[in-house]
Amino acid sequence: MPIGSEPELCPAGTWWDAVRTPEHVGRRAVELIEEQGLAVGPVILDEGGREPRMYFLTPAGTSARWEEAETVALGLTCHVVVPPAERTASPGLHWYRLPARPHTLNLPDGLHHALIKARREREGTV
């Protein structure tokens, strides 16, 4: 995590990969994961721009096998702007869920299932 008080551009693919999704799908995915009694790993919310986005940090290597509509997996050669630890509220870029402890990340399978269900609910195809 950034040590200072400003966000930092951090490389993906070394300690973690990231899965980017629209905010409305990501928020519902977090709820679905929690409803299953599973832990939610670190999630960044970027409310700036036309389309607010969420970034779920996952184990490095996830991007190599990730496939899901309306998401983008970010691994090697990609970067993510990471907020400092004290940024946990709106407005702007902040932690939606802080890392619970070092090396705690979102599990790809659980995240994948939650994102599928969240997207289908949004589309009305559940």
Side-chain angles (χ1 to χ4, degrees), residues 3 6 20 34 39 51-52 56 70 86 92:
I3 296 171
E6 296 297 320
R20 184 180 73 206
E34 290 175 335
E51 182 181 314
F56 290 81
E70 296 185 29
E86 67 272 1

Side-chain angles (χ1 to χ4, degrees), residues 19-81:
V19 174
R20 184 180 73 206
T21 188
E23 177 188 11
H24 60 274
V25 174
R27 282 183 184 268
R28 180 62 181 138
V30 167
E31 291 172 357
L32 291 167
I33 292 168
E34 290 175 335
E35 286 172 9
Q36 294 177 35
L38 301 173
V40 177
V43 183
I44 298 167
L45 175 54
D46 184 358
E47 297 173 314
R50 293 180 311 156
E51 182 181 314
R53 299 174 176 182
M54 295 180 89
Y55 295 82
F56 290 81
L57 301 189
T58 61
T62 299
S63 65
R65 60 187 183 283
W66 185 266
E67 290 184 27
E68 178 51 37
E70 296 185 29
T71 67
V72 176
L74 305 167
L76 290 172
T77 74
C78 298
H79 289 77
V80 176
V81 178

